[in-house]
Amino acid sequence: MILFPAVDLKNGQCVRLEQGDMARATVFNLDPAAQARSFAAQGFEYLHVVDLDGAFAGKPMNAHAVEAMLKAVTMPVQLGGGIRDLATIEAWLDKGITRVIIGTAAVRDPELVKGAAKKFPGRVAVGLDARDGKVAVEGWAETSHVTALEIAQRFEDAGVAAIIFTDIARDGLLKGLNLDATVGLADRISIPVIASGGFASIDDVKALLEPRAKKLAGAIVGRALYDGRLDPAAALKLIRSAA
């Protein structure tokens, strides 16, 4: 079980959104590299980064901030947001990103994901962000007509490293993870699933360690870390003691 601290980038700053709404952004740190170092010092082992501007623009928009974070820490980094072609995937992997996350292109261009996963084994993840069960794209600005399960099943046996499943309705609102939906997805596919959206407290850590969640590969935590609702030391100790 990996707990991924999240760094969401907007205009080169660390922010958290509410339900994916760029107009409802709270700035938590002006220096993403310093934030990455802080998470490393707290004992986290894997960083989750999203280029929010890139997700809307369809191309990387916060490259300088991402590159500064890569220089600041040695832990692996997974990156999503605006990664929609093979050239962008290759460029980020060459710069030191451990794993790229493909969201919109996974809906619109599944062959890109399959080709990239084959070319870069273990280094391509798919981000599925659901609103009322349907997957949203273009930085969550549009909702598609397909379910997360339908898309996830397209990539069975494709070599995808993980599915990151986000419940948009909960994201940034500290309402707790939607484990029912996340576990329900994990139970129907063989690809490891990472929970995201709504992580609120140590209770979410405890829920992740329950037997029903044993198929999950981890969870992403954002606002609860930034505003102090989750004690990193307590959360990581609990996870390690259960290992």
Side-chain angles (χ1 to χ4, degrees), residues 7-233:
V7 176
D8 288 0
L9 298 170
K10 181 175 185 279
N11 299 326
Q13 302 170 339
C14 297
V15 306
R16 297 304 296 168
L17 305 185
E18 293 180 12
Q19 297 180 313
D21 186 345
M22 289 287 261
R24 294 156 71 193
T26 305
V27 177
F28 281 101
N29 198 324
L30 301 178
D31 185 344
Q35 186 63 61
R37 281 193 294 270
S38 175
F39 283 143
Q42 289 167 6
F44 289 101
E45 297 174 2
Y46 209 127
L47 190 62
H48 174 81
V49 180
V50 178
D51 179 350
L52 294 172
D53 301 301
F56 282 91
K59 60 184 180 181
M61 298 293 286
N62 283 284
H64 290 303
V66 176
E67 289 163 13
M69 283 190 287
L70 288 171
K71 290 176 183 173
V73 296
T74 57
M75 66 173 150
V77 177
Q78 63 181 19
L79 172 70
I83 301 173
R84 297 185 193 168
D85 56 55
L86 195 60
T88 304
I89 292 168
E90 290 183 337
W92 278 126
L93 295 178
D94 285 345
K95 286 179 179 179
I97 290 295
T98 301
R99 187 158 71 190
V100 295
I101 304 164
I102 302 175
T104 295
V107 179
R108 303 235 163 109
D109 187 7
E111 293 308 312
L112 169 68
V113 176
K114 293 175 182 177
K118 186 175 181 180
K119 187 171 184 178
F120 304 107
R123 303 191 70 186
V124 176
V126 170
L128 298 181
D129 309 321
R131 183 186 285 120
D132 298 324
K134 298 296 195 324
V135 172
V137 295
E138 305 290 346
W140 300 357
E142 299 176 24
T143 302
S144 70
H145 299 291
V146 287
T147 67
L149 178 62
E150 287 171 322
I151 295 174
Q153 287 175 330
R154 292 176 185 172
F155 302 116
E156 288 278 45
D157 305 318
V160 168
I163 298 284
I164 298 164
F165 177 76
T166 303
D167 182 342
I168 295 172
R170 293 175 183 240
D171 195 62
L173 298 184
L174 300 163
K175 290 183 174 181
L177 293 168
N178 185 348
L179 279 189
D180 289 342
T182 311
V183 170
L185 176 64
D187 282 343
R188 297 187 65 182
I189 59 175
S190 61
I191 306 166
V193 175
I194 297 168
S196 172
F199 203 114
S201 70
I202 198 75
D203 288 337
D204 283 302
V205 179
K206 292 173 182 175
L208 286 164
L209 298 175
E210 291 174 2
R212 72 170 183 142
K214 67 181 182 295
K215 285 190 69 175
L216 300 184
I220 292 163
V221 55
R223 188 178 290 266
L225 276 177
Y226 288 97
D227 69 8
R229 290 170 193 252
L230 182 69
D231 176 1

